[in-house]
Amino acid sequence: MDSERARRRIVLATNNPGKVREFRRLIEPAGWAVVTPRELGIAFDVVEDGASYAENAVKKAQSCADAAGALALADDSGIEVDALGGGPGMYSARFGGPGLDDAGRTALLLERLAGVPAEQRTARYRAVVALAWPQAAGRPAVTFEGVEEGRIGFAPRGGRGFGYDPVFELPDGRTQAELTDEEKDAISHRGIAVRAALAWLAREAGG
């Protein structure tokens, strides 16, 4: 039974509270126990210097898997705004520098889009999820991508979610921050990618 519990555990390569909540909602119903580096007493701080979402996700997942000695899951994600040439993209979490929080980064995004009409504010959320095993297992990391299309609104609305959710408008006019958890998980970029990863585990790894 102990080996079964260990096999069914996924370590999240993040301590971001918003991501942890979403990952738990998405993963735990599939029968996996979800733990964070902080809960395991592992110091986790990876420099995200990859050239792509996938490189960053794999780097984080592999580092966490090696430190925890267990299957790890990481994501790298961002918001891509067409009027900003696809930015901030991979740098969404660092947009504007280390002194800004979610609200500050959202305000900066709106400032950069000042004067841009609604029809030119198209955007998408993109996430790449990576699964990695300790190097001793001899298994290569695998990645899965999820994309959610929308546009950037003119002012924040809604008190749910995190990141740029209050200004990410969906086709029905609501922002991501106005959705229930269930509604968001069903359509979000992260939800799409995580479900693909869980389906792969169930099919290929006996998950």
Side-chain angles (χ1 to χ4, degrees):
M1 178 65 74
D2 288 343
S3 62
E4 175 69 7
R5 280 198 295 266
R7 185 181 71 82
R8 299 287 298 182
R9 184 179 72 174
I10 291 181
V11 183
L12 298 181
T14 184
N15 286 310
N16 179 305
K19 286 189 177 185
V20 170
R21 286 192 297 272
E22 286 196 9
F23 280 132
R24 287 194 193 281
R25 294 198 309 263
L26 291 163
I27 296 171
E28 289 180 342
W32 291 86
V34 174
V35 294
T36 67
R38 184 173 291 125
E39 290 167 347
L40 294 175
I42 296 172
F44 182 72
D45 185 17
V46 175
V47 177
E48 298 179 41
D49 56 0
S52 67
Y53 294 108
E55 284 188 19
N56 281 335
V58 168
K59 183 177 182 180
K60 289 187 286 186
Q62 192 64 63
S63 175
C64 191
D66 292 338
L71 172 63
L73 180 149
D75 90 311
D76 193 40
S77 55
I79 193 165
E80 301 172 350
V81 182
D82 292 326
L84 299 180
M90 287 173 50
Y91 307 101
S92 296
R94 304 183 291 280
F95 187 47
L100 296 182
D101 57 9
D102 281 356
R105 285 185 286 272
T106 297
L108 178 60
L109 181 65
L110 293 177
E111 180 182 318
R112 296 283 176 87
L113 291 173
V116 177
E119 65 272 14
Q120 295 177 24
R121 298 170 78 94
T122 50
R124 66 206 49 80
Y125 268 135
R126 188 181 305 275
V128 174
V129 163
L131 294 171
W133 291 260
Q135 290 188 37
R139 305 181 70 165
V142 291
T143 60
F144 309 86
E145 185 175 84
V147 177
E148 181 187 9
E149 297 287 341
R151 69 175 65 239
I152 305 301
F154 290 90
R157 300 197 317 273
R160 305 178 70 89
F162 64 99
Y164 299 90
D165 285 352
V167 296
F168 187 76
E169 287 189 355
L170 306 169
D172 67 5
R174 291 183 297 171
T175 70
Q176 192 105 296
E178 293 178 304
L179 304 182
T180 65
D181 291 343
E182 293 75 14
E183 289 173 323
K184 179 181 180 180
D185 292 345
I187 64 172
S188 76
H189 55 311
R190 193 167 291 111
I192 293 168
V194 169
R195 282 189 292 275
L198 292 173
W200 185 91
L201 280 173
R203 183 176 66 252
E204 304 292 340

